Amino acid sequence: MKRERGTSLNTELMQKQRQQMSFDQLQALRILQTAREDLSQLLMDISQENPFMVVEDTRDMLEINSLGFDNILIEDGVSQYDSYGNMVNSSDRQDNHQAMINQLEDQRQQSFRTNLIDQIMCYRKTRLRDLMIRLVDEFDEHGFLSKSDEALQLILECDAIELLDAITLLQQLEPVGVGARDLRELWMLQTEQDPSAPEIAYVVLEIYFNELVNREYQTISNHLNVSIEDILETVAYYQTLAITPAVYFYSEETQYIEPDVFIQQKEEGYEVSYNFQNLPKLSFNDTYYQELKAIDDTDLKEFIKDKRQQVRAVSYSLKRREVTLVQVTQAIIEAQALFFNSKGHQVSPLTIKQIAERCDLSPSTVSRTIQGKYFYTDFGTFELRKLFTTSSVQSESGEELSQQFILKEIQKLINQEDKQHPLSDQKLADILHERGYAISRRTVNKYRKELGILSTTKRRIK
């Protein structure tokens, strides 16, 4: 009977170990494929169920680890994992990284507000100039002056004439259309200053904007006594205009891309280094662990042991994410030598399977590694998937799917959506995930734009 109980316990333990291994592997795959901007949230979600896991969402910090990876848990206080490993450990590497980060910052466009203030400061110092400067702070997130005149008069402590004069001067600044209250006025300002605009473009906006929005082209044609072709030509012209005053500076869909790896040319070839900038910092709360460990409770000891192991597993997965991404990127550089060495940056034929064979990894691992990941070079920032010419999406079954297939799937979903509640990019990505297609929200956003499909807010029909 004792042997039977022992056998049963051993079997139960083995099953538990297999389940734990399966959970750890699944968690490692999630960490591997998560884009860097979503990594903090993923770790936060995991830490909700682990009292010893501390996640700090760091910003503007470049971590350099001089400790070995074996020292990942130090049994005193809160032990830091300083950026998940010691891949980078020299001051030269730190200086190189910081220089590249500074260069990336320099490449960002001047902000909408700063651009306007610079122009306004060219005016003579008067009360009107002060009102213009204060008006800049009242623009909404899209650059529109959407508050009512009455509200603005109260905020600025001015009368209607002063407000009108200040707005009129604002509307003479660049970009054309600044100071507009809405889309109609924005297009009117652009049309008014465009000598190549169709003859009827301004009057249609001024008098028949509601008919234009409702696509009552025949009504406009009849009222203006022009052909329907003239109306359609004018509509086509409107599609070339900016849709927000700040469209060239920022928008709800514009995001600054932080590269996952840096690729730097050296005398002996190209060097790949992991970007630790702005990554979340993981630590183990050893003080609390020791407090609970001192309690004589078998179940509690098993619990804290499992949670401690989970922190180890997560940290190891973060390290493997770094190592695998650097390894895969290095293999891509070798396979795409023409892209990195030629002036035209020509992409050679390359599949995920070929890189998997070079790295001795499975195609699904390579697919997860490059999903939503970007690299920086001295000639630009690019998505790793851009260097693959075929089969850029991996299904859960391991089948490689063409970009055209995913484009068609996105088009179908949008064609079938509720136009009053259109699908967001994240929702589209979630649906595709449910169908077994590993694709990020950012990739959906890119593919949607390639299809010429407007964003959620612009597709909504009220």
Side-chain angles (χ1 to χ4, degrees), residues 331-375:
I332 292 173
I333 293 173
E334 295 169 3
Q336 291 288 6
L338 190 60
F339 175 83
F340 290 96
N341 298 320
S342 67
K343 290 185 178 180
H345 305 300
Q346 182 179 341
V347 177
S348 304
L350 182 66
T351 66
I352 287 177
K353 184 177 180 182
Q354 289 172 321
I355 292 299
E357 291 173 350
R358 281 174 176 259
C359 298
D360 194 24
L361 298 169
S362 69
S364 62
T365 297
V366 173
S367 179
R368 288 184 170 92
T369 302
I370 65 174
Q371 181 176 316
K373 313 299 193 307
Y374 290 77
F375 65 91

Side-chain angles (χ1 to χ4, degrees), residues 147-178:
K147 292 179 180 176
S148 68
D149 286 358
E150 292 76 10
L152 290 173
Q153 288 175 45
L154 288 174
I155 293 170
L156 303 181
E157 298 177 330
C158 66
D159 58 37
I161 299 299
E162 289 178 317
L163 178 63
L164 179 61
D165 288 344
I167 292 176
T168 300
L169 285 176
L170 266 182
Q171 292 179 349
Q172 295 175 20
L173 303 179
E174 296 289 340
V176 177
V178 65

Side-chain angles (χ1 to χ4, degrees), residues 82 129 134 163 170 175 223-224 256 269 288 327 336 338 398 455:
D82 42 351
R129 189 184 77 169
R134 293 176 64 188
L163 178 63
L170 266 182
H223 282 216
L224 293 178
Y256 172 56
Y288 187 43
Q327 178 189 13
Q336 291 288 6
L338 190 60
S455 65

Side-chain angles (χ1 to χ4, degrees), residues 191 195-204 224 226 230 233-234 237-238:
T191 302
S196 65
E199 202 170 310
I200 62 173
Y202 189 89
V203 70
V204 169
L224 293 178
V226 296
D230 289 336
E233 179 186 343
T234 303
Y237 167 74
Y238 295 144

Side-chain angles (χ1 to χ4, degrees), residues 355-415:
I355 292 299
E357 291 173 350
R358 281 174 176 259
C359 298
D360 194 24
L361 298 169
S362 69
S364 62
T365 297
V366 173
S367 179
R368 288 184 170 92
T369 302
I370 65 174
Q371 181 176 316
K373 313 299 193 307
Y374 290 77
F375 65 91
Y376 172 77
T377 69
D378 58 2
F379 54 85
T381 300
F382 304 88
E383 188 177 11
L384 280 169
R385 284 194 181 277
K386 284 288 188 181
L387 300 187
F388 291 85
T389 53
T390 59
S391 305
S392 61
V393 178
Q394 186 92 13
S395 71
E396 288 185 352
S397 62
E399 178 187 7
E400 290 185 336
L401 307 169
S402 70
Q403 178 178 326
Q404 289 301 316
F405 176 87
I406 298 299
L407 287 171
K408 289 180 180 178
E409 288 297 302
I410 293 173
Q411 183 70 69
K412 287 180 185 176
L413 288 172
I414 290 177
N415 288 344

